[in-house]
Amino acid sequence: MKYYQTKAGKLAGTDFREAHKNARRVYDEIKGKSKRKTHIRSRYFDKNKIFLDLFWDHLYSKKNLKDRLRRVRYFAAAIELIMNTHVEPESKENPNDRGEILHRFTGKTKNNEVFYVQIKEEKRTGHKYFISVFPDK
């Protein structure tokens, strides 16, 4: 299995509030650089924009705080992976919406913890959205 090795590790925080604060700090730094919708540019997608706002909606839809904590701690590593990876993702058509393609990238933190990043691509517009990040079991 091919993966991207990040220099970033998991964000610090023993509960969701602490880890969320650290993730928002990373997000706000990116938000300050973009004038309209918050985005980053991806090497894999030829420097196209990847919009970040769907990630927060998806995160807050999770009712379990442990699951939210588990996901938000990998935010910085996910951003680094999206910006720098050249590794081919697993891509498939969304079974729930034929107008979307789901890309799943695999990465490893500096502590060798495997995680996955999901990006949704709309076929019609070509827009790409960072949806989720989660660790391997």
Side-chain angles (χ1 to χ4, degrees):
M1 170 168 49
K2 291 188 174 187
Y3 59 86
Y4 176 78
Q5 180 70 50
T6 65
K7 293 176 184 152
K10 291 193 312 187
L11 293 173
T14 55
D15 65 357
F16 178 71
R17 189 177 52 79
E18 291 175 3
H20 180 262
K21 186 169 65 173
N22 292 329
R24 283 307 270 208
R25 192 173 294 129
V26 172
Y27 177 76
D28 288 341
E29 187 177 307
I30 296 166
K31 187 175 182 177
K33 295 176 184 174
S34 53
K35 294 182 180 178
R36 292 180 185 92
K37 276 182 103 172
T38 306
H39 66 275
I40 54 177
R41 294 199 177 261
S42 172
R43 276 207 182 128
Y44 179 78
F45 294 111
D46 299 323
K47 296 289 185 178
N48 287 337
K49 293 178 183 177
I50 308 293
F51 297 104
L52 302 179
D53 49 353
L54 266 182
F55 171 75
W56 299 109
D57 294 339
H58 181 74
L59 182 69
Y60 297 138
S61 72
K62 303 295 178 191
K63 300 296 180 203
N64 187 344
L65 282 178
K66 278 189 178 180
D67 189 29
R68 285 187 191 181
L69 171 65
R70 188 174 67 101
R71 291 168 184 266
V72 80
R73 291 185 74 195
Y74 287 91
F75 184 76
I79 295 297
E80 182 186 336
L81 180 143
I82 293 168
M83 289 173 68
N84 299 322
T85 190
H86 286 290
V87 177
E88 186 85 20
E90 292 177 31
S91 298
K92 65 179 183 176
E93 194 173 88
N94 187 349
N96 301 325
D97 186 353
R98 297 282 181 212
E100 296 176 351
I101 299 172
L102 298 175
H103 303 282
R104 182 177 287 182
F105 292 89
T106 305
K108 268 192 178 180
T109 64
K110 67 179 182 181
N111 298 331
N112 291 324
E113 296 166 299
V114 177
F115 66 96
Y116 302 100
V117 172
Q118 282 195 200
I119 294 177
K120 173 179 84 168
E121 177 180 0
E122 293 179 353
K123 286 182 181 178
R124 189 175 58 82
T125 61
H127 291 169
K128 296 164 189 68
Y129 300 91
F130 170 41
I131 297 178
S132 184
V133 59
F134 51 91
D136 193 22
K137 302 173 173 76

